[in-house]
Amino acid sequence: MNSETAKLPREQSYPLKPSILEAALKTARVSIDTHLVRRPGKIFSADFWPPNPNVPYERLYVRIGSVPAEQAQAARDRFERAVVPALVAWIGNILALDPQSPIRREKQHLSLNEF
C-alpha cells in the first residue's frame, strides 16, 4: 500500500492511520494496489479504478480528510468500527465479481461520509 500524508494545520487530526487500512485489507485477504491520500479538508471517499491503457492493473484510491482534534478519537473509533469495514467489504465485493463484469470494468466511487 502506498500512502501520502500532508502536514496538518493546528487543531486538526487524521481519523485513519495507514496501518489500520492496510491491516484490514490484509485480514480480509483483499489484494489490490492501494493508494491512501490524507490531506486537510472534508474529503472522505474511495475510488476503484479498473485497468486502462496506461495502467494495466486494478487500483483502489482512498482520500481521507481531517477532523478537528477534539473530535479525533470519536472519528477514529467510527472509522475503525464502521468506515473501514464498509470500505473493505465494498472493494472485496467488486473484486469478487467476474473480471468481465460491467461493474468491475468501470470506475466505481464510494463516499465514506455515509458511514
Side-chain angles (χ1 to χ4, degrees):
M1 182 172 95
N2 296 316
S3 175
E4 54 181 273
T5 301
K7 187 174 179 176
L8 283 170
R10 287 183 176 230
E11 307 299 322
Q12 291 285 300
S13 186
Y14 290 121
L16 179 64
K17 293 180 181 178
S19 60
I20 298 294
L21 177 58
E22 188 170 32
L25 291 167
K26 184 176 182 179
T27 298
R29 294 190 175 118
V30 172
S31 180
I32 186 169
D33 183 76
T34 302
H35 192 92
L36 172 64
V37 177
R38 299 188 310 162
R39 299 228 184 274
K42 295 184 180 193
I43 296 175
F44 297 93
S45 66
D47 289 288
F48 166 76
W49 291 336
N52 65 54
N54 297 321
V55 182
Y57 51 86
E58 297 170 319
R59 296 164 289 152
L60 174 63
Y61 186 75
V62 182
R63 287 173 302 283
I64 300 297
S66 59
V67 297
E70 65 272 3
Q71 297 173 12
Q73 189 56 53
R76 283 187 195 104
D77 292 344
R78 183 175 70 85
F79 265 74
E80 290 182 26
R81 186 186 76 259
V83 176
V84 171
L87 171 61
V88 170
W90 174 75
I91 195 62
N93 288 337
I94 291 172
L95 296 176
L97 296 170
D98 182 281
Q100 296 306 312
S101 165
I103 292 172
R104 194 163 170 179
R105 288 190 343 240
E106 299 294 328
K107 181 179 174 185
Q108 303 296 322
H109 177 80
L110 177 68
S111 172
L112 301 175
N113 291 321
E114 301 167 6
F115 299 95

